[in-house]
């Protein structure tokens, strides 16, 4: 087992990783930018190393500084969390070259999973259902128009190297496709460093359902049930729940089987997810693989009783999973609400500032993961997530009521600071959510958000939370 783990991230996920390491008796190193020197992650770790200025490209994404910090402190492993370098195969290879374990899937798996067009074809060959679309990437607009004519409008254009809801545009006509292709390739080049795009038929008002994977390096591949992530703004999630409401037992089992098929086809190791769209008729289609721990992993932990970060660490250390699929027995219902420092009434504009009052809720079945405390400043340089509220209850109805009660208790105030709490309560009370018939377009329909400034400094500061 590892003796010391460097946590190459910030905020709530860094604190969450440090907690599990402490329970496992593993020492931790927290790296931080100058903007985060007084953050909870730095305070919680055994050692800290300042790695650069606030800009992520010069700190949390600056590989030489992170490797130097690991070598200087004697860390034998690096946990990347999510966002930033978590799905960077080159970073994983550099870690290996310096004798440092990367806590995540092998770099060759991340390479395939990160190419959305390539993995789509690979998993279609493995037997997963995929949407009609292009075979590979589309070098020219003419290529995109030819595929669109074949599959029929509306279509969705996606960055092959994309993620986090960015580098995506929907087109319902040839004229709209010209604009979508031009904008998506530009965003892809700017944000992801590659202008390659692919195209699929667009499924409006679908459900976004993902299956949690856990695999070791000894041939064991398990699924831990599914999560519903349909409540999104700008294709970034706001509320997640497990299990997903409205799925038949047959479909639930089938999605788990598909996820394990995908894991075996990829040679996957560690924790990850396979994401699907489920249309109004209950037909699932593969969307993408996320080769990392995800923001919403706590809802799966709440219904299974597993610590996914602990399992990630054990697998990366070469240990076998001690579970079989038969041992995975989800119980009850869990809901996660993302508390972002954003103003939903101003097109989700980020609202950084000092948290003069920050009082998280408590009570039965209530968990709050956060990288902030009262008096801390929410910096403007990173994603706006300030906390995750996660609740568990025996039934969905009780879980919804518990989540609303906890949100009502969640008190956050500061000059200029607005949060998503009022919107989250509105979503929980929405009749479509209460009935379990919500879909990916619901938030946009409610907020009537205009425009989507895809190319923002936010996109490359990153670590966009997916």
């Amino acid at each position: 087992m590892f003796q010391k783990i460097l946590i190459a991230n910030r905020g709530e996920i860094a604190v969450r990783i440090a907690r599990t390491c402490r329970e496992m008796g593993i020492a931790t190193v927290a790296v931080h930018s100058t903007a985060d020197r007084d953050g909870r992650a730095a305070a919680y770790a055994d050692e800290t190393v300042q790695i650069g200025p606030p800009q992520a490209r010069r700190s949390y994404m600056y590989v030489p500084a992170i490797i130097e910090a690991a070598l200087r402190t004697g860390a034998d492993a690096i946990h990347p969390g999510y966002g930033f370098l978590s799905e960077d195969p080159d970073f994983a290879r550099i870690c290996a070259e310096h004798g440092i374990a990367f806590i995540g899937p092998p770099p060759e798996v991340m390479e395939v999973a990160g190419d959305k067009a390539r993995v789509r074809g690979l998993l279609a060959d493995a037997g997963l259902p995929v949407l009609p679309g292009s075979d590979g990437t589309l070098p020219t607009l003419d290529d995109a128009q030819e595929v669109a004519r074949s599959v029929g409008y509306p279509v969705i254009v996606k960055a092959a190297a994309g993620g986090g809801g960015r580098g995506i545009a929907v087109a319902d006509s040839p004229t709209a496709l010209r604009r979508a292709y031009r904008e998506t390739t530009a965003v892809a080049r700017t944000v992801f460093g590659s202008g390659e795009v692919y195209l699929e038929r667009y499924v409006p008002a679908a459900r976004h359902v993902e299956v949690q994977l856990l695999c070791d390096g000894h041939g064991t591949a398990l699924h831990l049930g599914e999560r519903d992530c349909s409540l999104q703004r700008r294709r970034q999630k706001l509320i997640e729940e497990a299990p997903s409401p409205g799925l038949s037992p047959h479909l639930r089992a089938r999605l788990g089987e598909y996820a394990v098929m995908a894991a075996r086809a990829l040679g996957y190791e560690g924790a990850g997810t396979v994401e699907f769209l489920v249309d109004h008729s209950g037909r699932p289609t593969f969307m993408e693989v996320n080769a990392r721990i995800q923001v919403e992993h706590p809802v799966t932990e709440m219904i299974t009783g597993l610590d996914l970060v602990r399992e990630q660490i054990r697998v990366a250390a070469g240990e076998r999973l001690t579970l079989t699929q038969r041992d995975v027995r989800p119980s009850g219902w869990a809901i996660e609400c993302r508390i972002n420092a954003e103003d939903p009434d101003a097109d989700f504009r980020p609202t950084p500032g000092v948290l003069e009052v920050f009082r998280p809720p408590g009570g039965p079945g209530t968990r709050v993961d956060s990288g902030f405390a009262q008096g801390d400043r929410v910096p403007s340089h990173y994603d706006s997530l300030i906390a995750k509220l996660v609740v568990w209850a025996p039934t969905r109805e009780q879980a919804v009521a518990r989540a609303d009660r906890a949100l009502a208790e969640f008190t956050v105030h500061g000059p200029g600071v607005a949060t998503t709490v009022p919107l989250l309560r509105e979503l929980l009370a929405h009749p479509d959510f209460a009935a379990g018939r919500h879909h990916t377009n619901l938030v946009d329909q409610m907020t009537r958000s205009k425009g989507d400034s895809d190319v923002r400094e936010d996109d490359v500061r990153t670590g966009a939370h997916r």
Side-chain angles (χ1 to χ4, degrees):
M1 181 48 66
F2 305 121
Q3 300 301 305
K4 184 182 291 187
I5 292 176
L6 182 143
I7 304 168
N9 216 298
R10 62 177 301 279
E12 66 86 15
I13 188 61
V15 174
R16 190 260 173 276
I17 294 166
R19 283 175 167 154
T20 287
C21 288
R22 183 168 293 181
E23 292 178 6
M24 296 178 73
I26 300 171
T28 54
V29 179
V31 295
H32 63 87
S33 71
T34 54
D36 286 331
R37 64 163 61 93
D38 298 320
R40 287 186 69 199
Y44 204 90
D46 297 299
E47 299 176 63
T48 63
V49 179
Q50 184 170 295
I51 53 171
Q55 296 85 354
R57 282 175 170 165
R58 298 172 62 192
S59 55
Y60 296 107
M61 299 180 75
Y62 188 54
V63 174
I66 293 171
I67 295 295
E68 181 184 352
L71 294 174
R72 189 196 319 165
T73 58
D76 49 354
I78 291 178
H79 197 308
Y82 50 69
F84 295 133
L85 297 170
S86 62
E87 294 177 280
D88 187 331
D90 291 334
F91 177 56
R93 291 189 180 100
I94 292 169
C95 289
E97 289 168 5
H98 287 83
I100 302 166
F102 176 84
I103 299 176
E108 56 272 19
V109 172
M110 287 191 287
E111 209 153 48
V112 175
D115 185 335
K116 310 300 184 186
R118 182 180 172 191
V119 74
R120 179 180 182 275
L122 174 68
L123 296 188
D125 292 341
L128 273 71
V130 300
L131 289 165
S134 58
D135 294 325
T137 56
L138 301 166
T140 69
L141 174 60
D142 287 342
D143 295 324
Q145 289 175 328
E146 182 177 346
V147 174
R149 282 193 296 269
S150 173
V151 305
Y153 289 94
V155 295
I156 186 165
V157 184
K158 299 182 178 181
R166 290 162 170 83
I168 295 174
V170 176
D172 58 6
S173 68
T175 299
L177 179 58
R178 283 195 293 273
R179 182 173 61 253
Y181 184 88
R182 182 175 63 251
E183 292 176 352
T184 304
T185 53
V187 170
R189 279 193 297 270
T190 302
V191 178
F192 305 114
S194 167
E196 292 189 328
V197 300
Y198 66 105
L199 179 151
E200 293 177 331
R201 180 184 292 161
Y202 177 61
V203 182
R207 299 287 287 277
H208 182 157
V209 180
E210 63 189 26
V211 179
Q212 178 69 56
L213 284 172
L214 195 57
C215 311
D216 64 21
H218 303 277
T220 301
L222 308 174
H223 72 84
L224 307 180
E226 84 289 344
R227 302 185 287 253
D228 191 293
C229 306
S230 300
L231 288 180
Q232 307 173 3
R233 59 99 172 98
R234 292 177 179 162
R235 301 187 179 89
Q236 294 191 23
K237 302 159 188 173
L238 286 170
I239 295 177
E240 301 99 347
E241 60 182 313
S244 177
L247 298 189
S248 68
H250 172 75
L251 178 54
R252 181 168 282 117
R254 195 65 178 141
L255 290 177
E257 292 168 5
Y258 284 145
V260 171
M261 288 166 60
R264 295 197 183 283
L266 290 169
Y268 201 88
E269 294 179 27
T273 56
V274 183
E275 308 207 1
F276 299 89
L277 289 176
V278 179
D279 67 17
H280 66 279
S281 67
R283 182 171 57 242
T285 49
F286 167 75
M287 186 165 59
E288 64 182 12
V289 173
N290 287 306
R292 53 175 162 75
I293 196 83
Q294 284 198 271
V295 180
E296 59 272 20
H297 74 273
V299 291
T300 296
E301 293 184 327
M302 296 288 263
I303 65 168
T304 62
L306 294 171
D307 181 333
L308 293 181
V309 171
R310 176 187 289 267
E311 297 303 326
Q312 278 189 297
I313 293 170
R314 292 184 63 255
V315 167
E319 296 187 7
R320 294 177 180 272
L321 292 175
T322 58
L323 296 167
T324 68
Q325 191 64 63
R326 190 171 295 179
D327 296 323
V328 180
R329 298 177 180 176
S331 173
W333 213 281
I335 296 175
E336 176 179 291
C337 299
R338 300 194 191 189
I339 317 297
N340 297 327
E342 297 176 347
D343 186 352
D345 294 329
D347 200 22
F348 294 97
R349 175 180 56 84
T351 58
V354 176
L355 302 176
E356 291 186 343
V357 179
F358 186 77
R359 290 198 298 269
T366 303
R367 166 179 169 178
V368 176
D369 287 11
S370 179
F372 293 94
Q374 188 158 295
D376 288 350
R377 175 179 293 276
V378 179
S380 60
H381 311 284
Y382 314 110
D383 186 276
S384 59
L385 182 73
I386 56 175
K388 300 183 319 197
L389 167 67
V390 193
V391 301
W392 179 92
T395 68
R396 186 173 190 263
E397 182 180 17
Q398 290 173 295
V400 171
R402 180 163 287 171
D404 184 65
R405 183 271 302 163
L407 285 170
E409 292 179 13
F410 212 131
T411 308
V412 183
H413 294 303
V417 176
T419 74
T420 49
V421 168
L423 174 63
L424 294 168
R425 296 193 68 192
E426 185 180 353
L427 290 169
L428 290 176
H430 195 285
D432 284 350
F433 181 78
R437 58 172 182 263
H438 52 290
H439 51 76
T440 53
N441 292 341
L442 180 61
V443 177
D444 288 339
Q445 290 173 1
M446 288 174 59
T447 61
R448 300 290 192 267
S449 179
K450 299 295 182 182
D452 187 359
S453 52
D454 250 335
V455 185
R456 300 171 296 167
E457 179 64 15
D458 265 1
D459 296 332
V460 290
R461 307 178 190 173
T462 206
H465 297 327
R466 303 172 186 180

